[in-house]
């Protein structure tokens, strides 16, 4: 069986050159169409949100009708919808996502200001929870039914069901403020103390990073663990593993070299989906820890609604997911050539 | 096949567990490593700086005084720029700022301000009347520069600076707010270089040139705003070495930061947070009379200035007896006790008692006290009687059910709404709470019966009074007016016009009180409570701080810069709460963990690869 699989893989690789190209082109084409669809959708979708941004922004202040009209002119809201749409498409295609109503700054600037912050937080958490999920998931599956497995899955499920903001607050109370004998070890919020430069700044950010990352990892690793575990469990009855053992390979090697690679497909899907979500940040965790990322920006943009900012962020979030899913699609055939057949 | 058969020897697998653990430990320890580094307030202590750290939640919309409208931004502008006048912290009357005195002409149409001589911008250039004239002229001629404070200059005819110490403002018609022009005066020599006022946010070049008590030295969106005392400030420099606004988007996290000593001051506390902080030896809770009122407004029939009616307010509310009956069926004392948990004052007149000059309360005869029986009688009298099912019916024979607009994010609205359901339900009136994130659309369209309303009142009440004049109505139903609830009453308007042209403070105050009395009798605005401002600060970091009003006032969002300018650092400012040494100890421990983790990891790694090679 294992030999059959191996020969099938060889045959596939030999004749898959054009097949893969066609497959890849199809996926890339699909991604481009999806991106264009997102661009169009984001324009119309957010015009359904109730609320007039001009009224919101001038709320609570004395403004004349002339001033209101000036606002509308400035934001292009006095133009017919189709013209606003064509302007938007034209600008978007040249990389201009417009100017934020509330911050009076280019949307691109606001996004590029917050994006690295989000990536630092969710990226670090992503690496950790993926590694932890895969490693613990593999171990759990390999020794399933044992106490370790039951503890692992039980803990993962418990943490997965805990609301992230609640866990975050708990961590702040225990590890930032300090509780009983536990001293306050970490900052209660923010990304930096302000004013540090160079290496001191890096250390400062890392210090601020610990609690939000732990929160995210605790809540997120369970999903990867469970998917990895169940995928590996499916593989474990396979004959090729028995064959591998019969060849005298060590159990550790059987697991790492044979079982795990064959069970990785669902996990890879999940990893890429999570990687796409990473860009969107995690709004609740960013709020609890006052992390100046995209999540908080999106919330502020929606509450106005600050249409250019909302649209720009929505496009970036959607594009990240589309790009990551496309990458996953392109990588599948390398893991399992039957996919591109 | 039994599962454990596949697993082989557990002993052989064991090295993986510690290896994983070691890997996790190493990463965690790497993150822990900076623990030895200073926490923010400890950093302050390390270089001997006294830092006053204020927790804020609101994002800065712009640091340009021509664009900013949010409280956090305008408060920072108060610190960066001196205005023509300021408000006395004792009683909020206008006192000298950039102008040392101001006098109107006999016809009240020309105002002459004497500009303080000998003061300098933070870059050393002198501050003159020309700077003020340029600021106002810019707002009058460039609509982008009028974005934030344009309403102050709409009535301005001409502004000139005949000499460096003389500013002359000519008006189209008299304006009582000329001693309360809340406009930051900017340095002409810096701002005249700005090309597009709609896009310049004043947040890239530091320090920002100003002449207020503080100089803005650093800003990072949603992270911090850093200010240092202006050593040349004419009133004398502030006593802290640095003023730092730090962002806490979550109120509970901000309270945690205060408990830890990471911030010196937190505002906007909930009653529950206040209760948690009260009684702590190192924290002082300031439960101060607020400047807001919390009211229930009635839709009096939405209409435009051209007479066109729109919206769908319930017709029964056009009857003054019905409005007064609803007023009398609200137990305001119970609301203060239950909803605000005692952190509020029972509402009566339109302006909170904190502004003593304009505070008005109804006489015993005039007062619409809680009296459900009298409310029921008034409703009967107005022709809205109960049917067989105990429901009051409208003129159309249908049971009355009022829709109340409420803010989805405000727990007070929802809580009060539940009481109204009960109290008005007893009268036979149904209530539907319409809680929305964005109430402005139905509000401006007049599509509501009642709405939870509230305003923060300025020392000069002109604005909150103006929003109930007929002039504030929208020009047509398609326009947006400055009106709050489409109230338009001739008597009220006449009083408003009189007070605006009255320069005698006592006479003006009397007129304002007459307006409040009229508004109360009409029953359009049921002011239910004046919620207190709940805030707290660390006594081991702040020795003393000026509240406004000086007697039992608030600290955050004052009219003026008194709180932060006056704050005196505590003598023993160990703001880290003693955790500085803890940080070092834990830092060392973390370092040990890193080394151990790395050692274990590499040791096991070697062993594993050796096994693989077998």
């Amino acid at each position: 069986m294992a030999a059959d699989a191996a020969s099938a893989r060889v045959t596939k690789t030999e004749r898959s050159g054009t097949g893969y190209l066609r497959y890849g082109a199809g996926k890339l084409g699909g991604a481009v169409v999806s991106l264009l669809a997102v661009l169009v959708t984001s324009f119309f979708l957010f015009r359904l949100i109730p609320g007039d941004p001009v009224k919101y922004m001038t709320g609570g202040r004395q403004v004349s009708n002339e001033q209101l009209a000036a606002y509308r002119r400035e934001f292009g809201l006095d133009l017919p919808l189709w013209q606003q749409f064509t302007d938007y498409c034209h600008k978007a295609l040249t990389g201009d996502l417009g100017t934020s109503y509330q911050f009076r700054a280019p949307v691109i600037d606001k996004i590029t200001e917050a994006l690295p912050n989000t990536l630092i937080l969710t990226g670090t958490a992503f690496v950790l929870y993926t590694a932890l999920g895969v490693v613990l998931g593999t171990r759990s599956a390999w020794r399933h039914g044992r106490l370790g497995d039951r503890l692992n899955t039980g803990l993962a499920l418990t943490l997965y069901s805990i609301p992230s903001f609640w866990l975050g607050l708990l961590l702040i109370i225990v590890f930032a403020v300090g509780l009983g004998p536990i001293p306050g070890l970490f900052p209660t919020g923010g990304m930096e103390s302000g004013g540090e430069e160079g290496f001191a700044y890096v250390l400062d950010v890392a210090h601020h990073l610990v609690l939000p990352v732990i929160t995210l990892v605790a809540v997120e690793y369970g999903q990867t663990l469970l998917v990895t575990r169940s995928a590996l469990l499916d593989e474990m009855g396979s004959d090729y593993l028995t064959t591998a053992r019969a060849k005298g390979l060590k159990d550790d090697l059987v697991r790492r070299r044979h079982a795990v690679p064959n069970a990785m497909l669902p996990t890879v899907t999940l990893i890429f989906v999570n990687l796409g979500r990473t860009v969107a940040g995690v709004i609740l965790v960013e709020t609890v820890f006052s992390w100046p990322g995209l999540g908080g920006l999106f919330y502020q943009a929606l509450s106005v609604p600050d249409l250019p900012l909302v649209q720009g962020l929505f496009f970036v979030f959607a594009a990240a997911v589309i790009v990551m899913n496309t990458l996953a699609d392109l990588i599948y055939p390398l893991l399992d050539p039957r996919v591109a057949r | 096949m039994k599962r454990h058969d596949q697993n082989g020897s557990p002993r052989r697998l064991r090295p993986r567990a510690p290896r994983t653990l070691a890997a996790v430990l190493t990463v965690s320890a790497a993150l822990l490593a900076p623990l030895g580094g200073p926490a923010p307030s400890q950093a302050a202590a390390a270089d001997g700086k006294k830092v006053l750290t204020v927790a804020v939640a609101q994002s800065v919309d712009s640091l340009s005084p021509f664009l900013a409208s949010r409280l956090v931004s305008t408060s920072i502008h108060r610190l960066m720029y001196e205005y023509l006048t300021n408000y006395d912290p004792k009683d909020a009357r206008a006192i000298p700022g950039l102008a040392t005195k101001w006098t109107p002409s006999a016809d009240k149409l020309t105002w002459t301000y004497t500009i303080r001589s000998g003061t300098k911008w933070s870059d050393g250039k002198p501050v003159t009347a020309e700077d003020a004239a340029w600021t106002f002229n810019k707002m009058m001629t460039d609509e982008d520069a009028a974005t934030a404070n344009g309403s102050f200059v709409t009535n301005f005819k001409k502004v000139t600076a005949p000499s460096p110490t003389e500013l002359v403002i000519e008006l189209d018609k008299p304006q009582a707010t000329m001693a309360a022009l809340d406009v930051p005066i900017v340095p002409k020599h810096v701002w005249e270089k700005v090309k597009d006022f709609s896009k310049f946010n004043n947040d890239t070049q530091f320090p920002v040139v100003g002449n207020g008590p503080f100089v803005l030295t650093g800003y990072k969106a949603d992270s911090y705003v850093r200010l240092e005392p202006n050593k040349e400030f004419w009133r004398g420099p502030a006593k802290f070495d640095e003023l730092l606004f730090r962002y806490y988007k979550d109120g509970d996290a901000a309270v945690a930061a205060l408990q830890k000593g990471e911030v010196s001051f937190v505002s906007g506390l909930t009653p529950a947070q206040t209760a948690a902080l009260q009684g702590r030896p190192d924290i002082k809770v300031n439960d101060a009379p607020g400047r807001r009122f919390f009211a229930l407004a009635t839709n009096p029939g939405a209409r435009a200035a051209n007479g066109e009616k729109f919206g769908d307010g319930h017709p029964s509310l056009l009857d003054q007896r019905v409005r007064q009956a609803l007023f009398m069926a609200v137990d305001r004392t119970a609301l203060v006790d239950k909803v605000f948990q005692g952190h509020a004052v029972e509402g009566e007149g339109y302006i909170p008692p904190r502004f003593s000059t304009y505070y008005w309360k109804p006489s015993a005869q005039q007062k619409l006290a809680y009296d459900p029986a009298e409310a029921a009688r008034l409703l009967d009298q107005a022709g809205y009687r109960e049917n067989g099912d105990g429901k009051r019916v409208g003129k159309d024979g249908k049971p009355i059910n009022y829709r109340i607009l409420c803010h989805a994010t405000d727990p007070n609205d929802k809580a009060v709404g539940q009481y109204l359901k009960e109290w008005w339900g007893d009268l036979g009136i149904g209530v539907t709470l319409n809680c929305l994130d964005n109430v402005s659309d139905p509000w401006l369209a007049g599509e509501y019966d009642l709405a939870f309303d509230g305003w923060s009142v300025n020392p000069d009440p002109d604005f909150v009074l103006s929003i109930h004049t007929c002039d504030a109505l929208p020009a047509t139903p398609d326009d947006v007016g400055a009106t709050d609830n489409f109230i338009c009453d001739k008597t009220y308007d006449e009083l408003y016009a009189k007070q605006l042209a009255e320069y005698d403070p006592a006479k003006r105050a009397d007129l304002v009180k007459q307006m409040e009395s009229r508004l109360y009798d009409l029953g359009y605005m049921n002011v239910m409570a004046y919620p207190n401002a709940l805030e707290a600060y660390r006594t081991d970091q702040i020795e003393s701080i000026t509240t406004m009003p000086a007697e039992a006032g608030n600290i955050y969002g004052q009219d003026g810069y008194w709180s932060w300018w006056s704050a005196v650092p505590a003598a023993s400012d160990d703001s880290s709460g003693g955790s500085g040494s803890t940080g070092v100890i834990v830092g060392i421990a973390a370092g040990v963990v890193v080394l151990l983790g790395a050692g274990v990891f590499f040791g096991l790694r070697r062993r594993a690869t050796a096994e693989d090679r077998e």
Side-chain angles (χ1 to χ4, degrees):
Chain A
M1 175 84 183
D4 287 351
S7 67
R9 197 170 295 169
V10 170
T11 325
K12 186 77 207 132
T13 317
E14 278 169 0
R15 61 183 182 82
S16 67
T18 53
Y20 183 77
L21 277 183
R22 200 178 316 126
Y23 168 84
K27 293 291 172 195
L28 284 175
V32 171
V33 171
S34 304
L35 282 174
L36 287 175
V38 166
L39 199 66
V40 174
T41 316
S42 65
F43 179 85
F44 291 104
L45 183 67
F46 295 109
R47 271 162 177 76
L48 297 177
I49 302 175
D52 176 344
V54 172
K55 288 173 191 169
Y56 179 92
M57 278 182 294
T58 52
R61 280 189 291 138
Q62 263 179 312
V63 277
S64 62
N65 284 332
E66 291 74 28
Q67 265 179 294
L68 286 168
Y71 266 110
R72 288 182 201 286
R73 251 196 327 277
E74 185 187 335
F75 300 145
L77 290 166
D78 56 335
L79 301 172
L81 197 62
W82 67 267
Q83 206 173 331
Q84 290 184 39
F85 178 64
T86 48
D87 281 0
Y88 163 74
C89 288
H90 179 74
K91 278 187 181 168
L93 291 174
T94 55
D96 178 2
L97 291 174
T99 304
S100 156
Y101 296 162
Q102 53 182 327
F103 299 110
R104 307 294 180 123
V107 168
I108 288 284
D109 288 2
K110 292 305 288 182
I111 291 177
T112 47
E113 199 174 80
L115 181 65
N117 302 346
T118 289
L119 287 181
I120 289 170
L121 171 61
T122 46
T124 311
F126 167 80
V127 171
L128 289 178
Y129 70 67
T130 303
L132 201 63
V134 169
V135 170
L136 292 182
T138 313
R139 291 200 60 74
S140 259
W142 209 246
R143 309 180 69 193
H144 62 122
R146 299 243 184 130
L147 181 66
D149 173 37
R150 290 205 301 274
L151 281 179
N152 251 342
T153 43
L155 184 67
L157 276 172
T158 310
L159 289 172
Y160 188 50
S161 6
I162 287 180
S164 54
F165 69 92
W166 185 80
L167 182 65
L169 272 177
L170 212 62
L171 289 178
I172 289 176
I173 291 166
V174 177
F175 295 109
V177 180
L179 196 66
I182 305 168
L185 304 177
F186 302 99
T188 46
M191 184 179 155
E192 58 180 302
S193 309
E196 265 83 4
E197 280 172 18
F199 188 60
Y201 173 76
V202 176
L203 287 186
D204 188 40
V205 172
H207 194 195
H208 283 78
L209 199 60
V210 178
L211 290 186
V213 163
I214 291 176
T215 310
L216 276 175
V217 170
V219 175
E220 297 283 340
Y221 87 96
Q223 202 185 4
T224 320
L225 181 149
L226 294 172
V227 170
T228 312
R229 180 181 178 274
S230 75
L232 193 55
L233 275 181
D234 283 348
E235 289 294 320
M236 277 175 47
S238 306
D239 291 342
Y240 71 89
L241 293 184
T242 315
T243 312
R245 277 202 199 86
K247 287 197 305 191
L249 289 180
K250 289 196 178 299
D251 197 69
D252 202 25
L253 277 183
V254 174
R255 177 166 52 112
R256 279 193 288 137
R257 300 268 160 84
H258 295 267
V260 172
N262 281 307
M264 277 308 279
L265 214 54
T267 313
V268 167
T269 314
L270 183 69
I271 289 173
F272 276 92
V273 168
N274 283 344
L275 202 56
R277 271 180 40 211
T278 295
V279 176
V282 181
I283 293 185
L284 288 176
V285 173
E286 284 193 357
T287 305
V288 171
F289 288 98
S290 313
W291 197 265
L294 291 179
L297 194 63
F298 194 49
Y299 177 77
Q300 286 183 48
L302 270 177
S303 59
V304 170
D306 189 340
L307 292 174
L309 193 53
V310 171
Q311 284 161 190
L313 285 166
F314 180 76
F315 182 72
V316 169
F317 295 161
V321 174
I322 291 171
V323 168
M324 286 306 154
N325 282 358
T326 310
L327 272 179
D329 282 343
L330 294 177
I331 286 172
Y332 286 161
L334 307 178
L335 293 173
D336 182 355
R338 284 169 299 181
V339 173
R341 195 177 289 163
Chain B
M1 200 186 288
K2 282 186 181 170
R3 283 160 188 166
H4 63 263
D5 290 345
Q6 289 181 340
N7 294 340
S9 156
R11 191 174 52 84
R12 210 179 288 165
L13 280 170
R14 197 168 293 148
R16 278 320 250 184
R19 206 184 304 166
T20 311
L21 186 67
V24 173
L25 268 180
T26 309
V27 176
S28 319
L31 291 171
L32 277 163
L35 273 170
S41 43
Q42 294 155 5
D47 56 13
K49 266 188 179 179
K50 302 273 186 189
V51 183
L52 174 55
T53 311
V54 177
V56 289
Q58 200 179 33
S59 295
V60 165
D61 50 350
S62 174
L63 282 172
S64 159
F66 295 97
L67 298 178
S69 62
R70 294 190 179 162
L71 177 64
V72 65
S73 324
T74 51
S75 299
I76 290 167
H77 286 137
R78 258 288 177 195
L79 303 171
M80 293 163 66
Y81 302 102
E82 184 68 300
Y83 299 7
L84 282 182
T85 57
N86 204 337
Y87 300 98
D88 194 309
K90 288 188 198 75
D91 52 11
R93 78 194 152 82
I95 56 167
L98 181 60
T100 53
K101 61 175 189 167
W102 47 95
T103 42
S105 61
D107 63 359
K108 300 176 182 174
L109 289 175
T110 303
W111 283 73
T112 306
Y113 297 81
T114 307
I115 300 298
R116 191 174 297 280
S117 53
T119 64
K120 287 182 178 146
W121 295 105
S122 52
D123 62 358
K125 301 240 166 60
V127 183
T128 67
E130 184 54 33
D131 292 305
W134 185 86
T135 304
F136 288 120
N137 276 309
K138 191 72 200 171
M139 285 162 58
M140 289 156 65
T141 52
D142 181 340
E143 68 183 21
D144 293 327
T147 301
N149 301 312
S151 63
F152 285 110
V153 298
T154 43
N155 192 26
F156 282 18
K157 194 156 106 188
K158 194 176 165 196
V159 182
T160 50
S163 80
T165 56
E166 200 182 358
L167 176 77
V168 179
I169 300 179
E170 292 173 46
L171 301 174
D172 285 325
K173 54 185 183 195
Q175 181 172 322
T177 55
M178 291 305 286
L181 295 172
D182 289 337
V183 178
I185 304 297
V186 300
K188 178 189 171 189
H189 65 278
V190 175
W191 284 79
E192 65 186 353
K193 292 173 195 144
V194 175
K195 299 235 165 25
D196 183 353
F197 273 70
S198 74
K199 295 201 167 58
F200 182 74
N201 282 315
N202 196 27
D203 57 2
T204 48
Q205 299 266 315
F206 303 106
V208 176
V209 178
N211 63 339
F214 288 89
V215 177
L216 184 75
T217 53
Y219 165 69
K220 203 161 184 181
D222 287 352
S223 277
Y224 62 85
V225 183
R226 184 186 297 281
L227 299 116
E228 283 172 17
N230 176 2
K231 303 283 180 213
E232 303 296 320
F233 186 55
W234 69 271
R235 246 183 238 280
K239 291 156 197 82
F240 271 90
D241 299 316
E242 192 171 288
L243 174 59
L244 187 68
F245 290 89
R246 289 199 60 185
Y247 276 86
Y248 287 88
K249 296 281 181 188
D250 181 89
D252 290 324
V255 169
L258 182 79
Q259 285 172 330
K260 190 185 176 190
E262 222 171 76
V263 296
S264 325
F265 174 87
V266 172
S267 63
L269 300 175
T270 63
Q273 289 166 340
T274 309
L277 292 174
Q278 254 155 356
R280 283 192 55 137
D282 45 3
I283 289 172
K284 179 173 165 51
V285 172
N286 191 32
D287 188 352
R291 58 190 303 169
R292 288 187 72 82
F293 64 75
F294 179 87
L296 191 63
T298 313
N299 181 351
R303 61 193 137 164
N306 64 2
E308 228 177 301
K309 290 193 166 62
F310 59 97
D312 59 5
H314 200 285
S316 64
L317 294 169
L318 298 176
D319 191 319
Q320 187 171 346
R321 288 169 297 185
V322 174
R323 296 194 299 266
Q324 292 189 335
L326 295 178
F327 221 124
M328 296 170 87
V330 174
D331 184 352
R332 292 187 288 274
T333 322
L335 293 183
V336 168
D337 287 347
K338 307 285 186 205
V339 177
F340 295 96
Q341 293 177 33
H343 300 292
V345 174
E346 187 187 327
E348 288 180 310
Y350 189 62
I351 294 169
R354 161 196 175 121
F355 301 106
S356 51
T357 316
Y358 301 109
Y359 178 58
W360 169 89
K361 56 195 292 180
S363 63
Q365 297 83 2
Q366 195 179 5
K367 186 166 175 170
L368 299 166
Y370 177 55
D371 189 346
E374 176 63 12
R377 199 190 62 76
L378 270 176
L379 287 170
D380 286 342
Q381 196 187 48
Y384 298 95
R385 295 179 178 278
E386 284 180 330
N387 63 11
D389 302 332
K391 310 263 185 218
R392 278 190 198 269
V393 290
K395 304 278 168 171
D396 55 3
K398 288 185 189 158
I400 296 177
N401 184 66
Y402 292 132
R403 300 156 301 158
I404 304 184
L405 264 186
C406 100
H407 302 80
T409 48
D410 191 336
N412 291 337
D413 281 14
K414 290 180 185 162
V416 173
Q418 294 306 321
Y419 280 100
L420 293 178
K421 274 188 178 177
E422 192 184 319
W423 292 330
W424 293 2
D426 290 345
L427 288 176
I429 292 172
V431 168
T432 304
L433 281 181
N434 193 11
C435 295
L436 304 170
D437 280 327
N438 186 343
V439 295
S440 67
D441 275 9
W443 200 307
L444 292 160
E447 288 162 359
Y448 65 97
D449 298 322
L450 295 121
F452 286 105
D453 198 354
W455 286 94
S456 199
V457 179
N458 288 327
D460 190 295
D462 178 67
F463 172 67
V464 286
L465 294 171
S466 75
I467 56 181
H468 299 310
T469 60
C470 302
D471 266 357
L473 293 176
T476 73
D478 293 331
D479 289 309
V480 179
T483 186
D484 192 24
N485 285 290
F486 308 99
I487 296 171
C488 175
D489 175 67
K490 224 177 136 193
T491 313
Y492 181 89
D493 273 18
E494 283 166 6
L495 290 166
Y496 177 79
K498 275 191 202 164
Q499 67 83 31
L500 193 60
E502 180 56 67
Y503 285 172
D504 181 287
K507 284 184 188 157
R508 182 169 176 233
D510 184 52
L511 287 164
V512 168
K513 286 177 188 174
Q514 287 180 45
M515 293 173 74
E516 290 180 79
S517 171
R518 175 72 185 163
L519 204 54
Y520 186 85
D521 290 343
L522 290 171
Y524 289 125
M525 294 289 293
N526 181 0
V527 178
M528 297 187 283
Y530 312 110
N532 288 359
L534 297 173
E535 40 196 23
Y537 65 86
R538 301 237 8 150
T539 47
D540 54 357
Q541 296 184 23
I542 301 174
E543 171 92 42
S544 66
I545 192 161
T546 299
T547 57
M548 186 175 182
E551 292 293 319
N554 70 309
I555 294 168
Y556 188 77
Q558 294 182 354
D559 299 292
Y561 36 65
W562 308 110
S563 46
W564 313 131
W565 173 74
S566 70
V568 178
S572 57
D573 181 12
D574 55 344
S575 43
S576 57
S579 63
S581 55
T582 314
V584 174
I585 293 164
V586 176
I588 294 167
V592 173
V593 171
V594 174
L595 290 176
L596 274 179
V600 172
F601 179 77
F602 287 113
L604 291 173
R605 184 85 222 155
R606 273 180 67 102
R607 203 173 128 193
T609 44
E611 273 181 13
D612 284 352
R613 282 196 302 269
E614 276 173 23

